[in-house]
Amino acid sequence: MTTSICECYKCSYKFNYEWIPGASLHSIRLGTKRIFRCPNCKILQKFDLRKKGPNKSLKTYGDSSELGIGSKIWAILLVPTLIPIFFGAFSFFIFIKPVYIHFVLIAFGIVWISMSLLYVILTVGPKGAK
């Protein structure tokens, strides 16, 4: 378990964030950054995890559903992705002659998840921040 010191750009709240390198169930990983909610103001944003080491004077939070991106965003990302992929995979059994609808449906699911993730990544965080 690794601990980083994070600071909210909206409310300037500082806290320790415990996380497992390479794994997350509730946040979106972006290399040295993660997208999750601030424990103080509850706003979804991008936090930099490069400042390592716990600060004993700060409260510690872990990668939990309290700080996660939320079930609404996961539903927006996954439901429109999984439906065309599911129908695309099972359209092999539905259509008798060679129809390429299954490839179109699977491609649509992949494009949807890519565009949705790109939208979330670009809209969180302070304006002009990289």
Side-chain angles (χ1 to χ4, degrees):
M1 185 90 57
T2 306
T3 304
S4 295
I5 300 170
C6 298
E7 182 177 3
C8 176
Y9 76 90
K10 285 274 193 189
C11 65
S12 299
Y13 181 69
K14 285 188 173 185
F15 59 96
N16 291 322
Y17 179 67
E18 289 184 341
W19 53 283
I20 300 171
S24 178
L25 295 175
H26 302 284
S27 63
I28 297 176
R29 297 180 304 131
L30 302 169
T32 61
K33 296 179 176 21
R34 285 206 182 175
I35 296 175
F36 57 90
R37 295 189 190 285
C38 171
N40 189 41
C41 65
K42 307 291 187 218
I43 294 176
L44 187 66
Q45 55 193 291
K46 208 179 306 180
F47 289 96
D48 192 359
L49 303 178
R50 287 183 282 189
K51 192 172 180 184
K52 301 259 194 297
N55 185 339
K56 302 286 185 202
S57 64
L58 300 176
K59 190 168 180 183
T60 302
Y61 297 91
D63 185 29
S64 65
S65 61
E66 175 190 356
L67 300 181
I69 64 170
S71 58
K72 180 180 175 184
I73 292 178
W74 282 120
I76 290 170
L77 289 174
L78 294 178
V79 170
T81 303
L82 295 176
I83 289 173
I85 289 175
F86 175 78
F87 282 118
F90 286 102
S91 67
F92 286 106
F93 303 112
I94 297 170
F95 299 108
I96 297 172
K97 52 185 170 176
V99 177
Y100 299 104
I101 188 74
H102 42 272
F103 295 120
V104 172
L105 290 171
I106 293 171
F108 175 76
I110 293 168
V111 168
W112 176 268
I113 194 84
S114 303
M115 297 304 287
S116 300
L117 279 173
L118 186 64
Y119 173 76
V120 169
I121 290 167
L122 293 177
T123 57
V124 298
K127 301 297 179 209
K130 296 189 176 162

